[in-house]
Amino acid sequence: MAELRTEEEQLEALKRWWKENGTSLIVGVVIAVVAVVGWKAWQSYQANQAEAASMRYQQLLTLASRPTLEGDALAEAQRLIGEISDTHGDTLYADLATLIEARVAIADGDLAAASGALEALIENTQRDYLKGLARLRLARLQLAEGDAEAALASLEAGVPDALGAQRADTRGDILLALGREDDAREAYQTALNLSQETGQPVYGVQLKLDNLGAEDATL
Amino acid sequence: MLQSIRDRSQSMVAKVIVGAVIVTLALFGIESVVGLFTSGSDNIAEVNGEPITRQQVEIQVQRAIRSGQVPPEQEDAARSQIINQLVTQQLLDQYAEEGGLHASEAQLDRLIVNLPEFQDQSGAFSTDLFRNRLASAGYTPLSFRAQLKSDMVRQQVQQGLAASSFMLDSERQRLLELQRQTRSFRYHVLTGEDLQSPVEVTQEQLQAYYDEHQQQFQRPEQVRLEYVVLDQAKIAEQIDVDEQALRDAYAERQNSAEPRVSHIMATFGDERSRAEAEARLQEVRDRLAAGESFAALAAEYSDDATTAESGGDLGIITRGFFGEEFEEAAFSLDQGEVSNIVETDNGLHLLKVTEMNVPPFEEIRDELRDEAALAQAEDEFNERAQRLIDESFAADDLASVADSLGLTLQQSDWTSRGGASGVLSEPGVMDAAFAPDVLKEGYNSEVIELDAQRRLVLRVAEHREETTLPLDEVRQQVRERVVKQATQDALRQRAAQLAEALRNGETLELEWQRAQSVSRQESNDVPEPIMREAFRLPKPEQDDVVYGRATTEQGVALIALNEVSAGKASSDGQTDAFVVQLAQRLRAQAAIQGLLDDLREEAEIERL
């Protein structure tokens, strides 16, 4: 670049440069500032929302972790679940709270409400594992209420393999209720094998299996 | 390149971009831009595209070692476990983040303040304790908060799954009924003697069993070893120690041993001059020489009131308390000897050693000899150890080395790597035997330092690979097993015949053992296999009996089950509560583990 000789020429060059580029520079800066400030504001709004959800959820956990749930604690838990579902509907908090809702309803003796909560979760959640877990739990509720057919349907709608041992155990219970003893025995055996493979014991499978009577020991 | 950038930077769009970059840099710092372009080779794994860095892993490994949870030699095992754990955490973190889970600074503050680890004795949060604990665990307050934050959201997921798991009344009832179930049955154990004729087995049966159970007849890789041991104690045995050396050693011991000393003290100063005190003690010496007892004279003469009555006894003395002259005298006396007059700051003393803590010379003569010999053997040992190193390295065999060094060449039996005994089982020996140079090339091993006073060199005389033993060699074992199996088969048939006869109403002379209303959890004297099978039999109808069998140590048990009943709740309800709790906890765990397994299955996990 040619050397600028005098101060005036330098000043002149700066002015010219500013004339050519000034507007776009200002626009760039303004856009960046607006974007950053906007992003920050959005983040802080999100954080506030998330914080509120987290606090409520934490309170709910404290209540739900008690061995028994009744009276004021039960009402409080239900209120918190309602708030979480209403204001933070699309979060994982809402899904977990709905699972807890079923447990709270069972503590309250309302199996129908518990089924309702689980059905709603199966309907609404995008999280496949939780959907499957809810189906497994729903099947147990349906069986307890005497509807083995519906229970079997829930189970067959899809429970993830990660819950295979539990799934087979519940399947055995259902088949037994349907009077299909041999199938039940097979299901329990599957549950036992899976639980041994994964090192995740399922309590009582051996008892249920034994109670059906084993051919190989009989004379 | 630069020119083209300059050309294009004339355009309006480029200027806007440059402006934005400048502002971004100003507001967020250089990391925000640099971070975009540096994906390191320092990553150990990637979980759904997010890295787990080597640094992260090493920090955890070091933390585990420093806290003593992991012994340093298990570092590698711990590392792969930690990587696994970090992958799991990463998966949960991603799941939580995607689900909008969050822990705010305020929540963290509350959590930290309430952690008992950071509370002083009054239960209040202590900043000092907080800093110290963190420092000792290798955290900065910031990194600790970050860790705690992700822990907290992960916990929220896990606790949600656990807290939402339930057990229905009907399920609880069924489980408890099964758990408490009682059964009444009789059993009779049939043994080989109950068979009309002993079982006979054919060659074909032996062959068939052998073919089917090859892995039971494996013999591991084995070696037969030649070895020599150079032992300082052995060299010492041949060394003669002369009497003077023993005396010197004894004197040395005595010198360092701490004697028990009595004294008689005469003070001097205002009341008595030094010469008078000396004369007084001289008088004591004369009376001692005339045969009077030290203890009695101590009582009469000693100015040390605390010891005068107890014969002047000072107890066992240690160097460094009484002054040089006193100690010199005390440590040079033999038992029963009385010293000349010695002076300390307190006055003048006569000392008598009443007890030496060294046994008499004759008693420890052998011990002294061994010690002295071992010490004298050291030079010889070191010299021979060096020769052993040189010669065993140079020689093509071990026998000549043994000859040259006057060692016995020893032979071992066939020995597998883990099956050595005696000196061969000491650390490092079998490892040396199976080192490639020794095993494959047939060289002498390096000199193995068993301990400071023993060296070993070995050589593989013979080596044989792992093999399946031929039937002829293991025929006896095979026969035993086949006979046992055949006997059990015959006994099972016998049991079935007996059951059939009983069902047909025949009366048999059997010695039945009875088990009345036994349950699984209460202990009883029914053998375990019989219990297990008795609880697996189908339930008998009404007055029917169900027959079954169980294989026990002694033979085969015939079981006759007559009753199955639901059983009563345990009197204290504790067992029931325990069962329910356990079942609950397992369900909760399964829900959590299920999520982790599911995430792992769905995830793209790449080990780099």
Side-chain angles (χ1 to χ4, degrees), chain A residues 20-21 23-25 27-33 36-37 39-40 46-48 50-58 60-62 64-65 90-93 96 99-103 106 111 118 127-130 133 136-138 140-144 160-163 166 169-170 172-173 176 188 198 200-219, chain B residues 9-10 12 15-20 22-24 27-28 95-96 98-107 110 152-153 155-168 170-171 174-175 178-179 181 183 492 495-496 499 503 520 532-533 535-539 546-550 557-559 564 579 582-584 586-598 601:
Chain A
E20 281 170 26
N21 301 311
T23 324
S24 50
L25 192 65
V27 170
V29 168
V30 166
I31 288 177
V33 166
V36 167
V37 168
W39 176 244
K40 288 264 168 183
Q46 290 279 319
N48 281 339
E51 182 176 347
S54 181
M55 304 271 257
R56 286 181 175 132
Y57 179 74
Q58 202 68 43
L60 177 61
L61 276 184
T62 312
S65 300
D90 51 351
T91 61
L92 181 54
Y93 284 128
L96 291 171
L99 282 174
I100 295 175
E101 183 181 359
R103 142 93 162 78
I106 290 164
L111 297 198
L118 292 175
R127 298 181 177 90
D128 286 344
Y129 176 78
L130 295 185
L133 183 65
L136 178 63
R137 290 180 174 175
L138 177 63
R140 287 166 52 206
L141 275 168
Q142 287 165 328
L143 179 65
D161 288 341
L163 291 167
Q166 306 272 329
D169 178 41
T170 302
D173 292 347
L176 192 63
Y188 288 140
T198 56
Q200 281 287 316
V202 183
Y203 196 86
V205 188
Q206 184 74 60
L207 298 180
K208 292 173 189 173
L209 194 58
D210 287 356
N211 197 49
L212 283 176
E215 294 294 335
D216 61 325
T218 316
L219 288 175
Chain B
S9 68
Q10 299 298 323
M12 180 76 177
K15 284 170 195 160
V16 171
I17 290 175
V18 168
I22 289 168
V23 174
T24 315
L27 288 176
F28 299 104
Y95 192 67
E98 181 270 333
L101 262 49
H102 180 81
S104 69
E105 296 303 310
Q107 282 173 299
R110 207 169 316 138
M152 192 171 167
V153 289
Q155 292 256 330
Q156 283 188 338
V157 179
Q158 301 186 1
Q159 284 179 0
L161 293 172
S164 65
S165 72
F166 54 81
M167 192 169 200
L168 299 164
S170 54
E171 293 172 332
R174 171 141 183 256
L175 199 57
L178 289 175
Q179 184 71 46
Q181 191 180 74
R183 296 191 167 204
R492 281 195 203 101
R503 248 194 303 270
R520 289 174 205 264
R532 199 172 50 227
E533 295 305 328
F535 273 88
R536 292 179 68 211
L537 291 176
K539 289 167 214 169
V546 170
Y547 292 98
R549 60 169 157 74
L558 172 65
I559 304 171
V564 175
V579 165
L582 181 62
Q584 270 277 45
L586 287 175
R587 255 194 217 292
Q589 253 171 35
I592 294 169
Q593 190 60 45
L595 174 65
L596 300 181
D597 291 350
D598 194 64
E601 215 162 282

Side-chain angles (χ1 to χ4, degrees), chain B residues 49-197:
Chain B
E50 280 188 56
I52 290 176
T53 64
R54 193 173 302 277
Q55 195 193 8
Q56 255 177 311
V57 174
E58 290 314 310
I59 287 174
Q60 296 281 350
V61 171
Q62 290 315 317
R63 209 170 266 156
I65 290 174
R66 232 191 310 169
S67 66
Q69 290 165 340
V70 174
E73 64 271 16
Q74 285 171 25
E75 191 180 318
D76 286 340
R79 178 172 293 108
S80 79
Q81 217 178 345
I82 281 168
I83 294 173
N84 214 3
Q85 208 176 314
L86 286 173
V87 169
T88 303
Q89 287 183 2
Q90 182 79 274
L91 285 169
L92 261 184
D93 285 343
Q94 290 170 359
Y95 192 67
E97 169 148 20
E98 181 270 333
L101 262 49
H102 180 81
S104 69
E105 296 303 310
Q107 282 173 299
L108 285 180
D109 288 340
R110 207 169 316 138
L111 189 63
I112 291 173
V113 168
N114 284 323
L115 280 175
E117 284 85 351
F118 303 139
Q119 288 170 356
D120 58 21
Q121 279 157 348
S122 62
F125 175 75
S126 149
T127 324
D128 287 343
L129 216 49
F130 177 66
R131 288 231 181 78
N132 290 340
R133 284 277 159 87
L134 291 198
S136 68
Y139 286 104
T140 65
L142 263 181
S143 68
F144 179 72
R145 287 183 79 93
Q147 176 93 38
L148 201 62
K149 184 169 180 163
S150 48
D151 274 355
M152 192 171 167
V153 289
R154 284 197 295 267
Q155 292 256 330
Q156 283 188 338
V157 179
Q158 301 186 1
Q159 284 179 0
L161 293 172
S164 65
S165 72
F166 54 81
M167 192 169 200
L168 299 164
D169 284 341
S170 54
E171 293 172 332
R172 187 192 331 260
Q173 213 168 343
R174 171 141 183 256
L175 199 57
L176 288 177
E177 262 175 28
L178 289 175
Q179 184 71 46
R180 296 179 198 140
Q181 191 180 74
T182 65
R183 296 191 167 204
S184 299
F185 56 91
R186 299 171 293 163
Y187 63 94
H188 171 74
V189 181
L190 300 165
T191 63
E193 290 159 24
D194 290 291
L195 294 176
Q196 274 120 1
S197 58

Side-chain angles (χ1 to χ4, degrees), chain B residues 305-324:
Chain B
T306 52
T307 62
E309 293 307 313
S310 52
D313 185 22
L314 287 166
I316 294 168
I317 63 165
T318 323
R319 283 183 195 272
F321 293 96
F322 297 90
E324 200 174 317

Side-chain angles (χ1 to χ4, degrees), chain A residues 48-88:
Chain A
N48 281 339
Q49 282 295 101
E51 182 176 347
S54 181
M55 304 271 257
R56 286 181 175 132
Y57 179 74
Q58 202 68 43
Q59 271 176 289
L60 177 61
L61 276 184
T62 312
L63 289 171
S65 300
R66 297 183 188 177
T68 53
L69 196 61
E70 49 199 13
D72 288 348
L74 192 102
E76 175 71 3
Q78 282 163 336
R79 185 184 65 77
L80 286 166
I81 292 165
E83 284 177 3
I84 294 172
S85 314
D86 291 347
T87 27
H88 317 288

Side-chain angles (χ1 to χ4, degrees), chain B residues 105-389:
Chain B
E105 296 303 310
Q107 282 173 299
L108 285 180
D109 288 340
R110 207 169 316 138
L111 189 63
I112 291 173
V113 168
N114 284 323
L115 280 175
E117 284 85 351
F118 303 139
Q119 288 170 356
D120 58 21
Q121 279 157 348
S122 62
F125 175 75
S126 149
T127 324
D128 287 343
L129 216 49
F130 177 66
R131 288 231 181 78
N132 290 340
R133 284 277 159 87
L134 291 198
S136 68
Y139 286 104
T140 65
L142 263 181
S143 68
F144 179 72
R145 287 183 79 93
Q147 176 93 38
L148 201 62
K149 184 169 180 163
S150 48
D151 274 355
M152 192 171 167
V153 289
R154 284 197 295 267
Q155 292 256 330
Q156 283 188 338
V157 179
Q158 301 186 1
Q159 284 179 0
L161 293 172
S164 65
S165 72
F166 54 81
M167 192 169 200
L168 299 164
D169 284 341
S170 54
E171 293 172 332
R172 187 192 331 260
Q173 213 168 343
R174 171 141 183 256
L175 199 57
L176 288 177
E177 262 175 28
L178 289 175
Q179 184 71 46
R180 296 179 198 140
Q181 191 180 74
T182 65
R183 296 191 167 204
S184 299
F185 56 91
R186 299 171 293 163
Y187 63 94
H188 171 74
V189 181
L190 300 165
T191 63
E193 290 159 24
D194 290 291
L195 294 176
Q196 274 120 1
S197 58
V199 293
E200 289 183 9
V201 296
T202 62
Q203 289 307 317
E204 287 73 32
Q205 278 174 297
L206 296 188
Q207 185 68 49
Y209 185 91
Y210 173 79
D211 290 345
E212 245 177 76
H213 300 88
Q214 295 267 312
Q215 77 287 354
Q216 290 180 11
F217 304 109
Q218 297 277 325
R219 188 186 58 206
E221 183 179 16
Q222 289 179 323
V223 287
R224 237 169 32 71
L225 300 176
E226 293 176 341
Y227 61 99
V228 293
V229 179
L230 176 65
D231 188 342
Q232 194 173 340
K234 284 267 170 56
I235 300 173
E237 273 172 23
Q238 277 148 29
I239 287 178
D240 281 327
V241 181
D242 63 26
E243 192 63 21
Q244 189 50 47
L246 290 187
R247 286 284 169 194
D248 289 350
Y250 189 70
E252 179 65 29
R253 272 221 196 182
Q254 265 180 321
N255 219 1
S256 58
E258 292 166 345
R260 181 170 189 147
V261 172
S262 293
H263 76 151
I264 296 170
M265 180 167 81
T267 56
F268 55 89
D270 299 342
E271 291 172 26
R272 196 189 283 153
S273 75
R274 190 177 190 285
E276 277 170 347
E278 212 173 313
R280 188 177 161 83
L281 286 186
Q282 195 52 52
E283 196 179 319
V284 174
R285 275 174 74 85
D286 293 344
R287 288 179 67 176
L288 277 171
E292 290 191 48
S293 92
F294 192 90
L297 292 170
E300 193 182 330
Y301 284 90
S302 183
D303 291 327
D304 179 5
T306 52
T307 62
E309 293 307 313
S310 52
D313 185 22
L314 287 166
I316 294 168
I317 63 165
T318 323
R319 283 183 195 272
F321 293 96
F322 297 90
E324 200 174 317
E325 197 180 338
F326 184 101
E327 282 163 9
E328 188 110 334
F331 279 89
S332 65
L333 293 174
D334 265 337
Q335 187 163 344
E337 274 185 317
V338 175
S339 71
N340 293 324
I341 296 170
V342 298
E343 187 174 344
T344 70
D345 297 345
N346 296 321
L348 302 179
H349 308 255
L350 282 177
L351 308 179
K352 179 185 178 183
V353 169
T354 53
E355 224 180 285
M356 297 292 289
N357 277 323
V358 181
F361 176 70
E362 283 307 322
E363 219 171 274
I364 57 167
R365 189 189 177 94
D366 287 349
E367 192 184 317
L368 288 171
R369 201 211 77 83
D370 290 351
E371 246 174 51
L374 201 59
Q376 287 179 27
E378 191 174 340
D379 287 343
E380 169 81 12
F381 173 76
N382 287 337
E383 185 255 326
R384 285 218 255 171
Q386 188 55 49
R387 269 175 61 204
L388 184 61
I389 292 173

Side-chain angles (χ1 to χ4, degrees), chain B residues 516-532:
Chain B
Q516 190 64 41
S517 300
V518 291
S519 70
R520 289 174 205 264
Q521 62 260 48
E522 284 162 44
S523 58
N524 54 53
D525 48 9
V526 183
E528 202 270 324
I530 298 181
M531 273 299 276
R532 199 172 50 227

